Amino acid sequence: MPLYKTITVTEHTKVYIWKIEESLAWLSKDVALTPHCASRVAGMKSELHRRGFMSIRHLLDEAGYTDFDLYYDQEGKPHLKDGKKISITHSFIFSAIIVSDREVGIDIEKQRLKILRIAHKFTPIEEYRTMANDEALMRKLTMVWGAKESLYKSFASPGVSFLQHIYVEDFRLDGLETTAEVSYDDRTEAYDITFLEFEGFTCAFALIQHKRTVA
């Protein structure tokens, strides 16, 4: 299947989503990888992970890039050599990238009830006691987790705690957007968050509003 969805967030920010239905052979055909990335994909034991990795290279192509335009810093955060910002995600049968002139993060999560058991590790669960049922609670918590994951990717600082340092403003399930803030060490960053739901998955992406240094 070709590109699943393209979203124009702003004039200089786009999201590309791929539904992974092709074989690894198809996804790998005519795709050149850097030695670093070739080594990474060769070391993956799961074919699903390999297919996800290679589908990202097709998304790069959709955005006008190749694997050779991409590099990773010492924290594992991806960057583009032309200075544009990029974030990458892969979950089961979906992968996505976001490319922007501003700091960004993106995450895709499969909606699963098991998130109810781990929610206390990443958000104050008592804030969600008014949710109508477990399905609604699962959707909301998956959104919050995805938002925090995307923020963590953008902020990219070791030591950041989902529970202590990342705050997501409450939102309505049908609103599909909110704001958030990451505050750690001497950095505080505010973001706009957007959510998408499709085929039992949730996508969250974060676009930075501004940066400020706390005195």
Side-chain angles (χ1 to χ4, degrees), residues 5-186:
K5 190 183 292 288
T6 303
I7 302 154
T8 301
V9 184
T10 71
E11 182 182 358
H12 301 292
T13 305
K14 292 188 77 170
V15 172
Y16 304 83
I17 301 174
W18 193 278
K19 186 174 182 180
I20 309 164
E21 297 181 328
E22 306 84 359
S23 67
L24 178 61
W26 188 95
L27 290 165
S28 303
K29 185 179 180 181
D30 299 326
V31 176
L33 298 176
T34 65
H36 170 73
C37 286
S39 176
R40 283 184 62 192
V41 74
M44 294 177 183
K45 296 181 180 180
S46 165
E47 180 167 312
L48 183 61
H49 287 162
R50 290 187 181 190
R51 289 166 66 205
F53 188 92
M54 295 308 299
S55 71
I56 295 294
R57 275 61 207 166
H58 289 271
L59 291 174
L60 285 171
D61 181 65
E62 292 286 346
Y65 297 99
T66 73
D67 194 54
F68 290 83
D69 298 311
L70 186 71
Y71 70 96
Y72 297 84
D73 64 22
Q74 61 183 4
E75 305 300 338
K77 182 177 180 178
H79 298 268
L80 290 168
K81 292 180 180 178
D82 66 359
K84 285 286 191 78
K85 312 301 181 182
I86 187 170
S87 186
I88 295 170
T89 186
H90 165 234
S91 178
F92 294 91
I93 60 170
F94 284 99
S95 60
I97 66 172
I98 184 170
V99 178
S100 180
D101 59 346
R102 293 153 62 185
E103 289 290 349
V104 287
I106 193 168
D107 186 59
I108 291 179
E109 298 290 338
K110 188 174 184 179
Q111 297 171 356
R112 293 183 286 180
L113 284 172
K114 77 173 191 177
I115 198 168
L116 276 64
R117 300 197 302 269
I118 64 169
H120 66 280
K121 296 181 179 180
F122 66 86
T123 190
I125 188 63
E126 62 272 9
E127 296 180 4
Y128 304 94
R129 293 179 191 264
T130 59
M131 299 301 295
N133 50 53
D134 282 354
E135 182 178 356
L137 181 57
M138 174 191 68
R139 288 178 55 207
K140 186 76 172 274
L141 289 171
T142 304
M143 289 174 169
V144 173
W145 173 263
K148 291 197 173 191
E149 188 70 46
S150 66
L151 292 161
Y152 183 85
K153 290 178 179 181
S154 177
F155 198 81
S157 181
V160 171
S161 162
F162 279 34
L163 186 60
Q164 298 175 357
H165 304 126
I166 305 177
Y167 173 74
V168 177
E169 188 71 33
D170 195 20
F171 56 92
R172 291 173 54 89
L173 270 178
D174 58 0
L176 297 179
E177 60 183 24
T178 188
T179 57
E181 187 173 274
V182 188
S183 186
Y184 179 70
D185 205 1
D186 63 346

